[in-house]
Amino acid sequence: MARSIHKSAGWMLALLALMILLAGCGAQQEGAEPSEQGTEQKDKQEEQDAAATKVVKDEFGEVEIPVDPKRVAGIYLEDYLLALGVTPVVQWYHPSWGKQDYLRLEVPTFDITGSIESLLEADPDLIIVDGAVDAAKYELYSKIAPTYRLPESILQSPPDIMKAIGDVLGIPEEAEGVLSDYHKKIEETRMKLQQAVGEETVAVLRLNVGDKTLALFGIENRYIGNIYKEMGLTPHPFARDMTDFQAILSEEKIPELDADHIIIFPSNGSWDSEENQEAMQVFDSPLWKSVPAVKNGHVYRADRTHWQSGAIKANMMKADDLLNWFVQ
């Protein structure tokens, strides 16, 4: 009898051990399920976030764009994207003007004068464009991806452009941070230039390599107007009174360009480019040598790539140039 009871107890202990073991396995399996479910939920949430859209108003009306775009093309707006920490999927290129070398971008180029194939291959989920894009091009780009065209009313204001792009990308706080640094640098530059240059006049010229002419940039020019409006330099009357963004400086007007300081850059390439050497012969002419700034050694050769851009990073680079040239 005692042996039977002992045997029964053994079976009961064995059965209990088996039940505990099975319960433990079940607990482990149940413990794994929330993790797997969490991963699935996270993946689904990410998919939902990627698919989420919002409606914004641009120059041509309302457009539905991604809330959280991952592959952004900013045509000639790459400067702003980089300032916000966003690397564009393509970079602007023009056969006559090259690309924006100062950005040092290592992404495929998009020739804005040719086929849109390279833009299509880049597979953007959002395209942002500026005033160079008319309604027809806008419609073309919109067939590739949702396209936001900056409002015409803000194209002359780099800070407003930065705010608009920050809002479109859903990162307005980053845009505010960039602008805080920008305004601080520009204000510091303005104060230093005022002390160093005062009311001495400045003119900005471009050597047009193709036809060997000199173009004068006016105060409304979106590329260089900020050196007058934001950094406080005094424009030469020719630039001050211009209503056009730029105009060819005729030969008879060259001797009348009595600006105290002249900033000049080539239309393409660099000052060392072989193809620019023939155009640079204009600087050997008696007319050019008669200009006061030339006589006084106050002509400054600039890098075209950031001087032909009015964007945030480019403007801060211009500020560095001006401080280097004018402030001892």
Side-chain angles (χ1 to χ4, degrees), residues 23 26 41 67 92 100 114 154 166 227 278 302 304:
Q41 290 175 353
V67 169
W92 177 96
Q100 300 169 94
I154 69 171
I227 72 169
E278 184 178 352
R304 69 169 181 86

Side-chain angles (χ1 to χ4, degrees), residues 78 87-91 99 104-110:
E78 294 88 349
T87 301
V89 293
V90 292
Q91 60 178 316
K99 56 186 177 65
R104 302 185 183 279
L105 270 170
E106 296 183 357
V107 297
T109 56
F110 167 48

Side-chain angles (χ1 to χ4, degrees), residues 150-197:
L150 290 170
E152 197 74 24
S153 60
I154 69 171
L155 292 180
Q156 294 297 106
S157 172
D160 287 343
I161 292 175
M162 174 58 75
K163 288 179 183 177
I165 293 177
D167 288 342
V168 167
L169 296 180
I171 48 176
E173 297 84 2
E174 285 84 344
E176 289 297 335
V178 170
L179 288 176
S180 177
D181 294 339
Y182 175 78
H183 290 310
K184 181 179 178 181
K185 182 176 184 65
I186 296 302
E187 178 60 19
E188 289 175 350
T189 301
R190 187 190 67 78
M191 293 176 64
K192 291 178 180 179
L193 290 176
Q194 184 59 41
Q195 293 178 349
V197 182

Side-chain angles (χ1 to χ4, degrees), residues 180-253:
S180 177
D181 294 339
Y182 175 78
H183 290 310
K184 181 179 178 181
K185 182 176 184 65
I186 296 302
E187 178 60 19
E188 289 175 350
T189 301
R190 187 190 67 78
M191 293 176 64
K192 291 178 180 179
L193 290 176
Q194 184 59 41
Q195 293 178 349
V197 182
E199 298 302 314
E200 296 176 10
T201 59
V202 177
V204 179
L205 302 176
R206 182 180 66 203
L207 173 62
N208 292 329
V209 175
D211 58 12
K212 305 176 184 61
T213 58
L214 294 172
L216 174 69
F217 283 23
I219 60 173
E220 298 301 328
N221 187 283
R222 63 182 298 194
Y223 298 148
I224 62 90
N226 71 296
I227 72 169
Y228 305 121
K229 296 179 178 180
E230 292 185 319
M231 300 187 219
L233 291 177
T234 302
H236 183 271
F238 283 0
R240 181 196 65 204
D241 299 336
M242 281 178 61
T243 55
D244 295 330
F245 293 158
Q246 64 188 58
I248 299 300
L249 194 66
S250 63
E251 288 190 354
E252 57 268 23
K253 285 291 184 181

Side-chain angles (χ1 to χ4, degrees), residues 14 51 68 92 254 310:
D68 186 23
W92 177 96
I254 291 178

Side-chain angles (χ1 to χ4, degrees), residues 17-30:
L18 179 61
M19 291 174 66
I20 291 173
L21 179 63
L22 291 174
C25 292
Q28 288 180 357
Q29 290 176 353
E30 290 175 2

Side-chain angles (χ1 to χ4, degrees), residues 22 59 68 115 120 161 195 203 229 265 272 292 294 306 310 317:
L22 291 174
E59 177 63 21
D68 186 23
S115 165
L120 183 63
I161 292 175
Q195 293 178 349
K229 296 179 178 180
F265 50 85
D272 296 329
V294 177
H306 63 274
M317 292 176 72

Side-chain angles (χ1 to χ4, degrees), residues 54-67:
K54 62 183 178 181
V55 176
V56 296
K57 187 175 182 180
D58 70 358
E59 177 63 21
F60 296 127
E62 292 186 340
V63 56
E64 185 177 4
I65 65 173
V67 169

